[in-house]
Amino acid sequence: MWKPDRRSKKPLYQQIADDMERRILYGEYPPGSFLPSERKLAEQIEVNRSTVVQAYEELRAKGIVESSSGSGTRVSKRLLGVTPSLTPNWRAYARGGTFAPNLPMIRRIREVLRERGSIIDFASGELSPDLYPNQAIQQLLREAPFEAPLGYDDPQGFLPLRETLVSFLDKQLNIRTTESSILITSGSQQSLYLITQCLLAPGDAVAIEDPSYSYSLPMFQSAGLRLFRLPVHENGIDPEEIESLFRQHRIRMIFLNPNYQNPTGSILAASKRPRLLKLAAELGIPIVEDDPFSLTSFDNRPPANLKSIDAHGSVLYVGSLSKIAASGLRVGWLIAPQTVVKRLADARQQMDFGLSVVPQWLANEFLRSGLFDRHIRFLRDALSRKQLHLMTALNRMLADKFSCIPAQGGLNSWLKLNQPVDDSKLLEESLKRGVVFMPGTVFGSEPGYVRFSFARPADHELESGIQKFAQALHALND
């Protein structure tokens, strides 16, 4: 985000006025649209509010903006001779459409993360930069010549990558499949989006875990689906509740994250899995298994996934490199019957004509090299160490104020606070102190739960981040 240059001889307020005028003239703020409030803009660009007030006064003096008490400051509708009747109502357009926006609390968190690079980030469910396989990628780029064609690729994805995934998934997770049953996507979220848009219809009932990352995704709301919850216990969901939901609501699909579930970190008990698959087969309900974390198992023994023991063809399996390598690679995969793969590949081709071949080629080189095995061993050790560091800091600074089952894999720790708390107030108090987390209500839980991603902060930030969170929690009780 742009910020004024404090070394410039031009006054800060004038720099702000000039930047805002440029944005207005370039159409970023069309006639009739509102500018950021003085307080909000001051926070974003890290100046005093009085400086922004002075900048807005400069724009008002030029006739570029106009203000009214209680309504804020907006671009003049008569700017450059444009009359109100010719100006599209962009605010109404932005509120329209069928694709729902993110939850307000998630938008607030992401806005803060964009604007304040120094904040300690327990909210983002991704790896810290020091855990990315940068050296391995650089080595591959030096040693492996890129010879793939740069035209439109197969709608199912880069064939060499799909062939590599066949052996990779068999070796790593005991999943047996063929290259024709794999669709390459830009990540788990695109796989889920294609499933909700192409295999379900508005009004369909689906079952999701409670709490669940799925609850935070607007794609389910955008697709017009009815969500019914399966409570997550210490050892995962209760399969028997699926039959009850099916009888009452005719559930058409089940979305599960059985291994190191997001956000709770729970593992679906091995004893429950055969019963779950048997019920799904008897009722004819597909299971979407979202499996981003299995390979992060701290003991180097990933739990068996549903797909590896699926004898009925009921499981659509979703995986990606985002949580085990780097989110910026944007490579994921979906394993499904060929009928489904062809349907989703056709839809994805209508969206973007397929993924860029370059990251697919790079992912293929990485997965089939010995560099991936070395990276995943390093990653497991690093995540285990970070999680232990986080739990040590929590136990020292919050003692009996929370309860938590330590994670055995994945990127997240799930806390239950042992006192009533307002999630929004706790978040704001934390933001004031320079730390951000995901409130449990984002995932559909009741207030008083917190998800900390221990993978994102640097090692030296873990303790100071918990200290800031503890101060915020104490402030609510003062």
Side-chain angles (χ1 to χ4, degrees):
M1 165 170 259
W2 176 88
K3 292 181 181 178
D5 182 0
R6 297 181 182 274
R7 297 168 299 178
S8 172
K9 294 181 179 179
K10 183 182 290 188
L12 292 180
Y13 83 89
Q14 189 63 60
Q15 292 184 52
I16 296 168
D18 289 349
D19 179 70
M20 193 59 72
E21 182 176 355
R22 181 169 59 252
R23 292 168 182 258
I24 290 169
L25 293 177
Y26 288 174
E28 184 174 337
Y29 293 101
S33 63
F34 283 88
L35 302 187
S37 70
E38 294 158 356
R39 186 182 306 278
K40 182 176 180 180
L41 183 58
E43 290 177 356
Q44 289 176 345
I45 61 178
E46 299 177 352
V47 299
N48 293 328
R49 183 181 176 186
S50 59
T51 305
V52 176
V53 170
Q54 197 173 0
Y56 280 10
E57 285 288 356
E58 182 80 3
L59 295 173
R60 273 191 290 272
K62 290 184 176 182
I64 295 174
V65 302
E66 51 196 31
S67 302
S68 57
S69 180
S71 297
T73 301
R74 64 180 180 180
V75 180
S76 171
K77 292 184 177 181
R78 301 191 180 279
L79 181 66
L80 301 180
V82 177
T83 61
S85 60
L86 297 179
T87 304
N89 186 344
W90 291 118
R91 178 171 291 194
Y93 277 102
R95 287 196 299 261
T98 59
F99 200 83
N102 273 308
L103 298 173
M105 202 172 286
I106 291 182
R107 295 203 303 271
R108 169 69 172 145
I109 289 168
R110 290 180 177 170
E111 178 183 34
V112 169
L113 289 172
R114 282 195 305 270
E115 295 166 0
R116 295 166 57 183
S118 61
I119 199 164
I120 297 175
D121 179 10
F122 286 115
S124 299
E126 62 175 329
L127 304 177
S128 57
D130 61 305
L131 299 184
Y132 295 157
N134 289 330
Q135 291 185 345
I137 297 300
Q138 290 167 10
Q139 180 179 334
L140 290 171
L141 291 172
R142 286 194 304 269
E143 297 177 356
F146 176 78
E147 297 176 343
L150 284 171
Y152 291 130
D153 194 27
D154 188 312
Q156 277 188 234
F158 190 48
L159 178 58
L161 174 57
R162 287 187 281 130
E163 292 172 338
T164 294
L165 281 169
V166 169
S167 56
F168 171 81
L169 292 168
D170 187 11
K171 172 189 172 185
Q172 298 283 352
L173 296 169
N174 201 32
I175 294 175
R176 293 176 175 82
T177 187
T178 65
E179 62 273 12
S180 59
S181 295
I182 297 176
L183 173 69
I184 305 299
T185 67
S186 64
S188 297
Q189 205 138 315
Q190 187 180 58
S191 296
L192 296 175
Y193 177 78
L194 289 168
I195 288 168
T196 58
Q197 291 292 320
C198 300
L199 306 184
L200 296 166
D204 280 350
V206 300
I208 65 171
E209 295 159 313
D210 175 21
S212 170
Y213 176 68
S214 294
Y215 185 85
S216 71
L217 298 177
M219 67 176 70
F220 289 87
Q221 179 184 346
S222 300
L225 304 177
R226 294 181 294 135
L227 302 182
F228 294 93
R229 304 187 186 191
L230 294 166
V232 175
H233 309 288
E234 185 177 336
N235 59 356
I237 66 160
D238 180 356
E240 303 307 323
E241 295 186 13
I242 291 173
E243 185 170 15
S244 174
L245 282 180
F246 179 78
R247 302 301 179 201
Q248 294 178 56
H249 306 289
R250 310 309 278 180
I251 296 296
R252 293 211 62 217
M253 195 170 282
I254 306 166
F255 290 81
L256 297 179
N257 175 197
N259 291 342
Y260 314 123
Q261 195 257 0
N262 187 4
T264 67
S266 66
I267 303 172
L268 180 64
S271 59
K272 293 182 174 183
R273 299 184 183 220
R275 175 59 177 161
L276 170 63
L277 291 170
K278 185 173 185 295
L279 265 176
E282 289 174 351
L283 300 173
I285 310 174
I287 297 173
V288 177
E289 180 180 19
D290 188 10
D291 187 30
F293 303 123
S294 281
L295 291 180
T296 64
S297 174
F298 298 162
D299 65 2
N300 299 331
R301 291 179 295 182
N305 48 69
L306 295 174
K307 186 63 180 175
S308 66
I309 59 172
D310 174 27
H312 309 285
S314 300
V315 177
L316 303 180
Y317 181 84
V318 175
S320 82
L321 288 176
S322 296
K323 310 301 183 186
I324 58 174
S327 50
L329 281 176
R330 307 314 306 141
V331 173
W333 47 87
L334 169 67
I335 300 175
Q338 290 185 30
T339 302
V340 172
V341 168
K342 289 179 180 178
R343 171 71 177 98
L344 302 189
D346 175 74
R348 214 272 305 282
Q349 188 175 36
Q350 294 180 53
M351 293 166 55
D352 56 14
F353 280 97
L355 297 177
S356 166
V357 72
V358 177
Q360 294 183 81
W361 170 84
L362 187 57
N364 180 55
E365 295 296 322
F366 184 42
L367 290 177
R368 69 192 188 95
S369 72
L371 297 173
F372 177 83
D373 289 338
R374 190 185 313 165
H375 163 73
I376 206 69
R377 288 194 298 270
F378 159 76
L379 179 64
R380 287 166 172 165
D381 290 343
L383 291 176
S384 178
R385 184 186 68 249
K386 283 195 168 196
Q387 192 259 176
L388 179 60
H389 194 168
L390 176 78
M391 293 306 302
T392 301
L394 283 166
N395 286 320
R396 184 169 67 253
M397 297 180 197
L398 290 175
D400 60 350
K401 290 183 169 56
F402 77 99
S403 56
C404 173
I405 298 174
Q408 300 175 53
L411 314 186
N412 307 303
S413 287
W414 182 246
L415 277 65
K416 183 182 187 302
L417 301 177
N418 298 333
Q419 63 185 72
V421 66
D422 183 309
D423 281 359
S424 296
K425 290 181 179 178
L426 179 57
L427 177 62
E428 291 302 325
E429 286 291 338
S430 298
L431 293 177
K432 289 178 188 176
R433 290 162 175 79
V435 63
V436 62
F437 61 91
M438 278 292 183
T441 47
V442 165
F443 306 105
S445 80
E446 60 187 26
Y449 286 85
V450 170
R451 192 198 76 176
F452 284 125
S453 174
F454 50 79
R456 182 60 181 173
D459 285 356
H460 70 274
E461 294 178 320
L462 289 165
E463 186 164 347
S464 60
I466 294 303
Q467 184 177 31
K468 293 173 187 292
F469 176 80
Q471 292 169 353
L473 186 61
H474 293 320
L476 291 181
N477 296 325
D478 292 343

